[in-house]
Amino acid sequence: MVTIRLHNTATRAKEDFVPIDPMNVRMYVCGPTVYDRAHIGNARPVVVFDTLFRLLRHVYGKSHVTYVRNFTDVDDKINATALARKASGDPRDLEALIHERTDETIGWYHADMDALGALRPTHEPRATDYIGQMVAMIQGLIASGHAYEKDGHVLFRVRSYKDYGALSGRSVDDMIAGARVDVAPFKEDPMDFVLWKPSDADLPGWPSPWGRGRPGWHIECSAMSHELLGAAFDIHGGGLDLQFPHHENEIAQSHCAHPDEGFAKVWMHNEMLQVEGKKMSKSLGNFFTVRDVLDQGVPGEVIRFVMLSTHYGKPMDWTAEKAAQAEVTLRKWRGLVAGVEPAPTPLPGVVSALSDDLNTAGALAELHAAAGRGDFAGLLTSARLMGLLTAELGDWVRTLDLSPYADRLAALRSEAMVKKDFAGVDAMKAALMAAGVEVRISKAGVELLPGPGFDAGKLEGLK
RNA sequence: GGCGAGUUGGCGGAGAGGUUACGUACCGGAUUGCAAAUCCGUGUAGACCGGUUCGAUUCCGGUACUCGCCUCCA
């Protein structure tokens, strides 16, 4: 069996991956807070961990991998949208408006991520369905002295967990020294973070031993991963920006709630994405959504290819140039594998590249090599292991019948060959190319293929 | 201030202590009525300074620069 090696953020080393239970390999990845469309940066962890999911399924068997990715549907931004809709005269109650917002956002998320060829995880829990588990976990933490209640808030006592900061490599004292930490009157220590906070009547809330309130963000993932994967599981993933404080807090909560159980064995963090060389951030407003990119005519498969062309552990720059190059390659490959029967197994080179800490760029190089040596069956199967060249993602390569145009062009050309006047042929050729059609004329005849930027509308009147 | 990542040819980007990465772009050739596509081919690298070595882009140390996190953020 192939040995998968993964870079473990917790140990800062590339390690052989040995599942706790090869019959049930378990992975948890922090999912989106569903307050709005996913932006292009959100797509990176989705594609990265989808690729890992596919690799794990290939190695351990499809039914032996459990992948959980949550939806955080408790959030001030969700509330804000719902409150705004209410303020603008919507007669429904707040709860209904919140549900509407989270439901529509989850729908968008599914549609957008499906477009990138990402498989749906085994479970996609919504935080609001696990409030009971969160409350229970918080109660346990209070009972064991790791948390305390003050003024309707429950806080985690960071100083009670000696390894706090180990994942991100910081000491509690350093954090306080340099940083802006939220000093609130109900905190024993500035580093303590919220497990539960009170809700007023205008906000969603759930009953609890500490009054009506809602959970803090970090406890959600601890409760859901425990419920669905158990107290110990194999891989925990997410963006590097979640390493601190989110993952650090998760570790503290889960280890204290379930001492000696282990929690997540391997921590994986994808680096951030930039756009045209600049940091993308909501506060700067220079971000765009996956849907924006799709609507601009960039196929989801192209987005996926671009994501896979950079190793997940390196910062990646999203550029129009990369998307254009990816499209050229995919068009070529789609042409090569058309009608080809997939090979029974993927290429060893591709599997070993992916197994080497998800070296997707190296795997793509292997695909290029396969294309170069004419192994189209191997190319197809291996690309599909990475979620590329799949049937579902193929719609963008248009199979529009251009033969009437080809016939017309061929006729014009024959005529021109006799008359030695090529003006008419050249005019039609130029028009076809302006419409994004690739014109191939050879002794074998005339062949037309839709190319990058193909616009059927520009073909009007060319017949 | 603390923690971390990166720097390969025009662009993207991989592996390996010693032989062409690869893709894309450009250039040359074949082909073509001309092109496109295709095929063939040339050129363009390893931030900087040291060290180890017969030999380093690849290992070690330092310098510079870039970037990220430390605050809701994937």
Side-chain angles (χ1 to χ4, degrees), chain A residues 40-63:
Chain A
I40 189 74
N42 289 313
R44 172 116 105 141
V46 172
V47 172
V48 165
F49 291 106
D50 176 67
T51 306
L52 179 57
F53 183 39
R54 288 170 184 270
L55 176 67
L56 291 170
R57 281 156 53 105
H58 172 70
V59 173
Y60 295 98
K62 279 188 182 177
S63 58

Side-chain angles (χ1 to χ4, degrees), chain A residues 35 37-43 113 280 282 287-290:
Chain A
Y35 63 93
R37 285 269 186 195
H39 59 68
I40 189 74
N42 289 313
M113 298 309 130
M280 179 170 67
K282 289 168 194 177
F287 75 99
F288 42 84
T289 65
V290 172

Side-chain angles (χ1 to χ4, degrees), chain A residues 218-446:
Chain A
H218 315 297
I219 196 72
E220 297 175 10
C221 287
S222 284
M224 288 186 276
S225 65
H226 182 262
E227 180 71 17
L228 294 166
L229 296 176
F233 54 93
D234 298 292
I235 298 168
H236 191 128
L240 188 61
D241 54 341
L242 295 183
Q243 185 184 34
F244 184 89
H246 182 56
H247 292 160
E248 203 72 73
N249 292 353
E250 261 189 75
I251 288 173
Q253 294 159 351
S254 292
H255 277 283
C256 291
H258 310 285
D260 307 319
E261 295 280 359
F263 194 42
K265 261 179 74 179
V266 180
W267 284 84
M268 293 178 68
H269 292 96
N270 62 277
E271 253 285 3
M272 301 289 97
L273 177 142
Q274 297 185 305
V275 173
E276 302 289 351
K278 290 183 179 167
K279 173 188 160 75
M280 179 170 67
S281 82
K282 289 168 194 177
S283 52
L284 292 177
N286 68 335
F287 75 99
F288 42 84
T289 65
V290 172
R291 181 51 51 183
D292 290 337
V293 180
L294 292 168
D295 288 347
Q296 283 161 20
V298 179
E301 186 173 34
V302 168
I303 298 174
R304 184 180 184 93
F305 188 103
V306 172
M307 295 284 172
L308 294 177
S309 68
T310 299
H311 187 261
Y312 75 89
K314 286 188 181 180
M316 99 154 248
D317 195 14
W318 172 271
T319 65
E321 173 66 22
K322 280 185 180 177
Q325 281 197 11
E327 182 171 338
V328 169
T329 300
L330 286 167
R331 273 188 195 283
K332 195 165 90 180
W333 286 356
R334 287 246 173 222
L336 294 176
V337 302
V340 168
E341 195 63 28
T345 55
L347 298 162
V350 171
V351 175
S352 66
L354 293 177
S355 300
D356 180 15
D357 194 29
L358 228 52
N359 182 357
T360 49
L364 290 177
E366 292 290 332
L367 296 184
H368 273 117
R373 79 176 95 92
D375 181 5
F376 304 139
L379 167 65
L380 181 56
T381 299
S382 306
R384 285 184 173 171
L385 176 61
M386 301 173 72
L388 296 169
L389 304 186
T390 58
E392 310 86 73
L393 292 184
D395 290 346
W396 65 277
V397 179
R398 272 158 270 205
T399 51
L400 189 70
D401 181 17
L402 295 172
S403 60
Y405 302 99
D407 293 346
R408 171 86 178 120
L409 187 61
L412 274 174
R413 183 165 170 273
S414 311
E415 202 177 314
M417 294 288 271
V418 176
K419 291 187 184 168
K420 299 296 176 198
D421 175 10
F422 296 94
V425 187
D426 289 344
M428 182 168 180
K429 201 165 67 184
L432 285 166
M433 288 166 72
V437 177
E438 194 179 283
V439 181
R440 300 182 182 180
I441 301 174
S442 66
K443 283 173 186 154
V446 173

Side-chain angles (χ1 to χ4, degrees), chain A residues 125-138:
Chain A
R126 295 171 65 142
T128 49
D129 290 331
Y130 293 81
I131 302 290
Q133 287 86 341
M134 295 176 207
V135 168
M137 190 176 251
I138 295 169

Side-chain angles (χ1 to χ4, degrees), chain A residues 34 45 95 98 101 106 158 164 176 199 204 265 285 295 339 361 394 400 451:
Chain A
V34 286
E95 194 178 344
I98 284 173
R101 182 56 172 175
I106 288 171
V158 167
Y164 191 82
I176 295 173
S199 286
K265 261 179 74 179
D295 288 347
L400 189 70

